[in-house]
Amino acid sequence: MKRIGIDVGGTNTDAVLIDGDTVLAAVKFPTTTDVMQGVVNAIGKVMDGQAADAAPVDAVMIGTTHFTNAVVERARLERIAAIRIAMPAGASLPPMIDWPEDLRSEVNALSFMVEGGHEYDGRPLVPLDRAAVRDAAMKIRDAGITSIGITALFSPLTTECEDEAAEIVRSVIPDARITLSHTLGRIGLLERENVTLLNAALQGLGGRTVAAFGKALKEAGISAPFYLTQNDGTVVLAEVAAANPVYSFASGPTNSMRGAAFLTGLKEAMVIDVGGTTSDVGCLVGGFPREANNVVEVGGVRTLFRMPDLLPMALGGGTIIDPQTGRIGPRSVGYRITEKALVFGGDTLTTSDIAVAAGLIDIGDRDRVKHLDKAFVSEMLKRIGAMVEDGVDRMKTSAEGVKVVAVGGGAALIPETLKGVSEVVTVGHAGVANALGAAMAQVSGEVDQVFSGLSREEAVAQAETMARQRAIDAGAQAGSITLLDTEDIPIAYLPGNARRVRVKVVGDIAFAGR
């Protein structure tokens, strides 16, 4: 299958063209201000050498930082409405109580708290106040808001209140974009509500981004279906991703991790993705990124949903070094490295300049860093090594040495030997591992919810059936779906043999006509 993988980062845009497991072309160039034109340029460059009668591209996979950047920058977010179904128990902390003030002001939410929801054992807390939901919907409609997040108390146990509230809202606002919390988050009310409201604020941007990518592909002469990469190292059909943009928050690092697995064949390893601005340290488990089981902050907002377990470090190819003090970072020249770094004729000392002076990489004009003192260069490399060792140590789960795969445009900054590491693995095409990971990604389906009134075997089987269907809905080929991970935890304080079951499946993309 011929595929194009593209990863749009804050510093560089990478693209690869692959056929099966063979890399036909790979390019890396600075991200342009006009991101979509950069995508068109990337496709044009990887397709340049293709014969006129070559087989067409079957699919395009795109990783983008659009959505997480929108949250971090407090830009391009829609005004939203929040409906919390948890009264009278959930009145003490209103929606978005823990959001940063500037982000809360940006979304300018209308909030409503109504009676309803369930107890921890699945019993109704109080009956759903349907009249209050309808009244809220009319006020939301009158305010001109179409992006709505609905969260009910313990909805992962039973979705009844959220589903019914959504029906009421749609009867008043037919064109509403509604995010239901049980489809995204886990049991914790505030964290689940937070990710629901972030998703609601981003759905408009999700639709516009997918439409813009579609237009860019058409302009590049590509008619194949396209997918967006997700936080778990898989892909999903673009129109599905547009409805759940939060699932693409950490797609860049996870693309790199999947690319590292593809390039090395390793299923269990630590991966360091060194970009232009930051480095991300993560772990491969079964060939996929290890998931975080705790709260993850996004733009200052606490969330608890499907996110990779990553440790970001302020170390990248464009990281600024103070020549007087030797301080490394945290600021970076970012995508302006080709005009700011010393080796490119600029006036800013970066880690790339140190790497060139040490003979680790050959970019720009080496004569421009000949004046750097060798002792200073050596000291900077030691400090960079210490930063990496600290990051690896913080992510390890045992004292044993681990294999570390270095990928990304700044992979040359990773020392050949590290304390606590059995081997530092370097591979060809490491600089475009993120685009390769996007191109090689599979489609996933996941279920993480509480089942009761069923035996363990019945609960796991039901969860697997649901996960398989979600994978098919996301674009997976039914016959290729395999079980990746199963976890079930009995919940002693709930009746009916209740247990939390998490099932994840993956499958190959169902290419049209194949």
Side-chain angles (χ1 to χ4, degrees):
M1 303 296 180
K2 187 179 277 188
R3 289 157 288 179
I4 293 176
I6 301 172
D7 188 273
V8 183
T11 303
N12 292 303
T13 294
D14 302 333
V16 296
L17 174 65
I18 65 172
D19 191 353
D21 289 345
T22 304
V23 181
L24 302 179
V27 297
K28 175 186 284 287
F29 53 93
T31 295
T32 56
T33 303
D34 182 352
V35 173
M36 298 309 163
Q37 187 57 49
V39 170
V40 173
N41 295 342
I43 293 174
K45 288 189 177 184
V46 296
M47 294 294 289
D48 269 349
Q50 295 297 293
D53 59 347
V57 172
D58 292 297
V60 178
M61 289 80 164
I62 303 174
T64 178
T65 57
H66 262 54
F67 307 127
T68 186
N69 286 350
V71 176
V72 172
E73 296 169 6
R74 293 13 180 177
R76 304 180 297 283
L77 301 173
E78 290 204 37
R79 191 183 183 196
I80 61 172
I83 299 178
R84 180 192 289 178
I85 306 169
M87 295 289 283
S92 58
L93 298 173
M96 299 183 293
I97 184 66
D98 58 343
W99 285 36
E101 178 59 36
D102 56 349
L103 181 58
R104 190 163 54 238
S105 299
E106 181 66 26
V107 300
N108 189 23
L110 274 182
S111 294
F112 303 90
M113 294 194 287
V114 304
E115 292 187 351
H118 290 78
E119 298 276 12
Y120 66 89
D121 59 1
R123 291 176 299 155
L125 178 68
V126 293
L128 174 65
D129 190 340
R130 297 170 181 81
V133 174
R134 182 173 294 277
D135 181 61
M138 289 188 289
K139 291 178 180 177
I140 294 168
R141 178 197 60 193
D142 294 343
I145 298 172
T146 56
S147 292
I148 303 158
I150 301 177
T151 307
L153 196 64
F154 286 106
S155 62
L157 288 174
T158 172
T159 66
E160 180 184 328
C161 285
E162 289 187 0
D163 292 336
E164 191 170 351
E167 289 182 14
I168 295 171
V169 172
R170 287 195 181 95
S171 70
V172 177
I173 315 172
D175 61 341
R177 292 190 296 269
I178 300 175
T179 301
L180 303 181
S181 75
H182 72 266
T183 65
L184 296 176
R186 296 169 183 166
I187 286 181
L189 177 66
L190 291 181
E191 290 81 10
R192 176 161 43 90
E193 183 177 63
N194 283 346
V195 73
T196 301
L197 299 181
L198 282 177
N199 196 74
L202 288 164
Q203 278 188 322
L205 177 62
R208 293 191 300 273
T209 299
V210 166
F213 277 135
K215 183 179 179 181
L217 294 177
K218 186 176 181 181
E219 183 179 335
I222 302 294
S223 58
F226 71 102
Y227 301 73
L228 294 189
T229 58
Q230 299 191 103
N231 300 333
D232 61 354
T234 62
V235 294
V236 67
L237 283 166
E239 55 267 27
V240 178
N244 298 296
V246 295
Y247 278 152
S248 295
F249 273 164
S251 61
T254 55
N255 287 345
S256 294
M257 295 180 70
R258 287 287 289 151
F262 166 68
L263 289 169
T264 63
L266 295 173
K267 298 291 186 181
E268 313 288 330
M270 194 167 290
V271 178
I272 304 178
D273 177 23
V274 189
T277 304
T278 61
S279 294
D280 291 291
V281 185
C283 295
L284 285 172
V285 178
F288 284 83
R290 183 175 72 196
E291 286 192 15
N293 285 320
N294 53 357
V295 170
V296 176
E297 284 201 4
V298 180
V301 177
R302 289 166 54 89
T303 67
L304 184 59
F305 73 120
R306 191 172 72 206
M307 285 285 280
D309 187 10
L310 296 172
L311 175 67
M313 299 189 299
L315 174 66
T319 298
I320 297 172
I321 295 177
D322 187 330
Q324 304 301 320
T325 65
R327 181 182 180 185
I328 301 174
R331 294 174 56 226
S332 169
V333 296
Y335 69 90
R336 300 181 66 190
I337 188 170
T338 54
E339 59 182 86
K340 287 290 188 179
L342 297 182
V343 292
F344 293 111
D347 57 2
T348 305
L349 178 63
T350 68
T351 51
S352 290
D353 295 314
I354 295 296
V356 171
L360 299 177
I361 55 175
D362 184 16
I363 58 173
D365 184 356
R366 188 173 183 179
D367 288 341
R368 295 183 179 274
V369 291
K370 278 187 174 180
H371 66 282
L372 294 178
D373 181 70
K374 289 183 179 180
F376 176 78
V377 171
S378 178
E379 176 61 24
M380 291 303 98
L381 291 177
K382 286 181 181 179
R383 292 189 186 183
I384 290 172
M387 291 175 66
V388 174
E389 288 172 349
D390 180 63
V392 170
D393 194 52
R394 291 170 63 184
M395 291 296 288
K396 288 173 64 175
T397 56
S398 74
E400 296 179 5
V402 296
K403 287 187 177 181
V404 168
V405 185
V407 296
L413 291 172
I414 305 301
E416 294 181 355
T417 58
L418 293 167
K419 294 178 182 177
V421 172
S422 61
E423 180 185 1
V424 176
V425 182
T426 55
V427 290
H429 295 302
V432 291
N434 45 10
L436 278 169
M440 296 301 299
Q442 295 174 293
V443 179
S444 70
E446 185 173 4
V447 169
D448 185 353
Q449 69 180 59
V450 176
F451 294 84
S452 62
L454 302 172
S455 68
R456 177 188 179 278
E457 292 73 18
E458 290 171 333
V460 172
Q462 185 172 327
E464 184 175 345
T465 299
M466 294 169 62
R468 286 178 178 272
Q469 187 57 52
R470 289 183 183 181
I472 292 171
D473 293 342
Q477 183 180 344
S480 70
I481 296 174
T482 58
L483 182 64
L484 182 66
D485 190 25
T486 301
E487 179 184 25
D488 72 287
I489 304 172
I491 305 179
Y493 55 82
L494 297 185
N497 196 28
R499 62 186 60 246
R500 175 188 171 189
V501 181
R502 186 178 73 85
V503 172
K504 183 173 181 178
V505 300
V506 294
D508 297 330
I509 293 172
F511 292 108
R514 299 295 179 100

